[in-house]
Amino acid sequence: MSDYRIHGATGEWEVVIGLEVHAQITSNAKLFSGASTEFGAEPNTQVSLVDAAMPGMLPVLNVECVRQAVRTGMALEAKINAFSRFDRKNYFYADLPQGYQISQLYHPIVGEGAIEIELESGATKTVGVERIHIEQDAGKLMHDQHPSFSYVDLNRCGVALMEIVSKPDMRSPEEAGAYVRKLRSILRYVGSCDGNMEQGSMRADVNVSVRKPGQEFGTRTETKNVNSVRFIMATIEYEANRQVDVLEGGGAIVQETRLFDPDKVETRPLRSKEDAHDYRYFPDPDLLPLELTPEFIDECRHSLPELPDAKRRRYEEELGLSPYNAAVLTAEAETARWFEALLAEGALKQERPETQVAKAAANWLISDLFGALNRIGKTIEESPVTPSQGAELLALVADGTLSGTLAKQVFEIMLESGNDPARIVNERGLKQTSDTGTIEVVIADVMAANADKVAEYRSGKDKLFGFFVGQTMKAMQGKANPQVVNELLKKALG
């Protein structure tokens, strides 16, 4: 149970949260037309006669959108409904040419499922998914193109959406944030949505109510189209506190639709909240009920990749990675793919057990590569260093060609030049030396130059050993094998 509470004048209040996530389905064409779904096109250049609701135009269902919705449901371990139906949701809005939206109310394609989330404390919680249904997106009104008119862009009109409706199981902004991040990760693994919230291909309607702990649910408000995890959490924080203030002031919460203002970090009313009967839903007469064959359902199931929770368990149990490293590497599909490419290349380049290769690869990717990418402002997909180059660098460390210090130097040069590590080592003479004769000469020089410290060390000041290691490595410009240096120094110092 969450211990998150709003502390009001009359005591503690509990927050009840449900999310309706709209995820744009990955497909080249729209839900009921062949128009392109590519992002960033000039306004109104991707609009078919069906999207524009020209008289006599009939919708034709895009089977790929159905397939992606089914695969998503399976990834959430949800019930797949072999029979589903499309309904017309009637309302007027300027960017909805048909005057209705084709959606699914009474018979959605996916039924109940669940998502397991992990919180910062390490605790886990299961959040129920009530349903997933397929529907059309509307267009987009643009209010900043003219001083006295609003323009409409219908490129998005008719684009396929999955509406993923959670149960009201979340009790804090943190839980809601963890839910959206986990859902986004699953969608990206499955490939059913790119999860790009900045471009609007994934956004959430945030339902919030408050109650005294243990009492009945309160009246909820719905804040529409919130497009980042941070804003979703901020919406919940603001709206919960607002509702507590209203109730403690003797007022009542009105069931309404609200908007989130990211500049002022507040919500404000948009319109009174409609119920289902206000939309006058009825079965779409132009579309037959959707019936999925067992063969289609099996094909969808067999096409699923290894999902993040299963991959994380495998990394821990088979590769011996720490829970933290396994969680970081599986959080995003792109990171997991990059790591597995690194691991495959490393196995080819090193004659070591897979667990050793995996641990070294995980540590390097999370600390060195992630740190560098953050510094230069690039994603792992934009990395100047390829998995093959990363594996080659790790192999040079494993076989003793490079020390850890030299490897960091080589890595920085790789980032700037894009060259392979072996080439950099050869061109710049950065190879680590394990030549005992060369190292012994340097050690002798260091000891001769620091005779006083040699005497101190031999009189019992063991901590000075690190000083001699540092001086030797400095004299050899970091190219000496540290292990050999330690062994020879112990012998020389006595």
Side-chain angles (χ1 to χ4, degrees):
M1 178 179 287
S2 171
D3 57 2
Y4 180 84
R5 295 288 187 271
I6 301 291
H7 299 283
T10 62
E12 290 189 337
W13 296 79
E14 184 178 45
V15 186
V16 178
I17 305 154
L19 296 175
E20 299 168 19
V21 174
H22 294 82
Q24 181 175 323
I25 298 175
T26 302
S27 66
N28 294 325
K30 296 182 181 180
L31 183 55
F32 297 114
S33 83
S36 172
T37 59
E38 188 176 354
F39 179 79
E42 287 295 308
N44 297 308
T45 57
Q46 298 179 169
V47 187
S48 75
L49 297 177
V50 173
D51 307 324
M54 292 298 169
M57 294 298 103
L58 295 175
V60 178
L61 181 61
N62 182 342
V63 176
E64 178 62 16
C65 297
V66 174
R67 178 175 172 273
Q68 294 287 30
V70 170
R71 294 174 73 247
T72 301
M74 289 173 171
L76 303 184
E77 298 182 358
K79 181 178 184 295
I80 306 302
N81 295 322
F83 175 91
S84 62
R85 194 181 71 195
F86 288 99
D87 304 295
R88 287 190 181 180
K89 178 182 181 181
N90 296 276
Y91 64 97
F92 172 78
Y93 209 64
D95 59 5
L96 192 68
Q98 294 169 157
Y100 59 85
Q101 178 190 40
I102 301 177
S103 183
Q104 294 183 314
L105 175 66
Y106 301 109
H107 299 281
I109 193 166
V110 176
E112 292 191 357
I115 295 178
E116 186 175 273
I117 60 173
E118 185 169 319
L119 306 175
E120 285 186 11
S121 64
T124 59
K125 177 173 181 173
T126 300
V127 177
V129 172
E130 188 173 298
R131 56 187 278 150
I132 301 176
H133 61 260
I134 308 173
E135 64 184 21
Q136 300 169 295
D137 204 351
K140 180 182 179 183
L141 288 175
M142 298 182 291
H143 307 292
D144 57 354
Q145 306 290 307
H146 191 280
S148 54
F149 296 102
S150 289
Y151 291 166
V152 64
D153 176 10
L154 297 181
N155 280 352
R156 208 165 66 189
C157 193
V159 165
L161 298 177
M162 292 178 286
E163 182 168 334
I164 304 164
V165 182
S166 84
K167 294 186 176 182
D169 290 346
M170 290 161 277
R171 296 291 180 269
S172 71
E174 184 197 359
E175 289 182 5
Y179 171 85
V180 174
R181 282 190 291 267
K182 183 65 172 287
L183 176 59
R184 180 178 180 271
S185 174
I186 292 170
L187 295 177
R188 289 166 71 96
Y189 266 83
V190 171
S192 58
C193 174
D194 65 21
N196 194 325
M197 300 186 81
E198 296 78 16
Q199 294 180 0
S201 57
M202 182 173 163
R203 52 195 191 270
D205 296 344
V206 184
N207 292 279
V208 176
S209 65
V210 296
R211 65 178 179 180
K212 291 289 188 178
Q215 293 187 356
E216 295 293 314
F217 286 166
T219 302
R220 65 184 171 89
T221 63
E222 179 182 42
T223 303
K224 300 288 285 185
N225 293 327
V226 187
N227 67 349
S228 80
V229 173
R230 182 164 61 91
F231 290 161
I232 289 168
M233 294 171 71
T235 295
I236 294 164
E237 189 90 34
Y238 176 86
E239 186 59 18
N241 279 281
R242 184 193 70 83
Q243 291 185 19
V244 168
D245 289 343
V246 169
L247 292 170
E248 291 193 328
I253 301 303
V254 178
Q255 184 175 330
E256 63 184 356
T257 300
R258 299 177 71 86
L259 286 178
F260 177 72
D261 185 332
D263 296 321
K264 295 182 179 179
V265 196
E266 65 181 24
T267 66
R268 57 174 182 265
L270 177 65
R271 61 177 181 267
S272 61
K273 175 64 180 170
E274 299 89 348
D275 288 315
H277 64 262
D278 295 316
Y279 291 113
R280 300 183 67 83
Y281 280 95
F282 65 88
D284 192 295
D286 294 331
L287 290 161
L288 290 170
L290 180 59
E291 297 186 27
L292 307 179
T293 65
E295 293 77 17
F296 179 82
I297 293 173
D298 286 343
E299 187 274 323
C300 290
R301 194 176 303 281
H302 290 139
S303 73
L304 286 178
E306 184 181 38
L307 294 168
D309 286 349
K311 193 179 289 291
R312 180 176 173 176
R313 284 193 297 273
R314 178 169 65 84
Y315 284 3
E316 290 182 38
E317 294 168 6
E318 296 181 18
L319 300 182
L321 299 188
S322 69
Y324 173 80
N325 280 2
V328 171
L329 293 172
T330 56
E332 293 291 343
E334 293 76 15
T335 303
R337 291 186 193 114
W338 210 99
F339 173 68
E340 295 199 347
L342 176 68
L343 203 56
E345 292 284 348
L348 294 174
K349 292 177 169 65
Q350 299 181 43
E351 294 182 3
R352 293 200 296 167
E354 186 181 33
T355 53
Q356 291 183 22
V357 176
K359 287 175 184 177
N363 290 334
W364 175 80
L365 193 156
I366 291 170
S367 58
D368 294 53
L369 184 62
F370 275 2
L373 293 175
N374 286 337
R375 191 174 73 241
I376 62 179
K378 291 186 180 293
T379 66
I380 197 161
E381 296 166 285
E382 302 165 332
S383 172
V385 175
T386 67
S388 178
Q389 289 175 322
E392 186 177 308
L393 179 65
L394 291 170
L396 292 172
V397 174
D399 68 13
T401 301
L402 291 176
S403 65
T405 303
L406 286 174
K408 290 183 185 300
Q409 291 181 38
V410 172
F411 178 56
E412 289 300 322
I413 299 168
M414 290 166 65
L415 285 170
E416 293 175 13
S417 67
N419 289 338
D420 292 342
R423 176 181 170 185
I424 293 168
V425 168
N426 291 331
E427 289 180 351
R428 307 210 180 193
L430 293 174
K431 188 174 181 179
Q432 174 176 263
T433 180
S434 298
D435 183 338
T436 56
T438 303
I439 296 172
E440 282 173 343
V441 169
V442 174
I443 287 174
D445 291 342
V446 168
M447 290 174 65
N450 297 277
D452 55 334
K453 287 188 168 53
V454 172
E456 287 180 43
Y457 175 83
R458 286 173 173 164
S459 68
K461 288 194 175 180
D462 294 349
K463 291 181 180 178
L464 280 171
F465 187 78
F467 166 79
F468 290 108
V469 172
Q471 290 297 305
T472 305
M473 295 299 290
K474 182 179 178 182
M476 298 195 69
Q477 299 178 314
K479 295 177 185 176
N481 185 322
Q483 187 177 344
V484 176
V485 168
N486 282 358
E487 290 172 1
L488 294 177
L489 266 171
K490 285 174 184 173
K491 190 186 298 182
L493 289 166

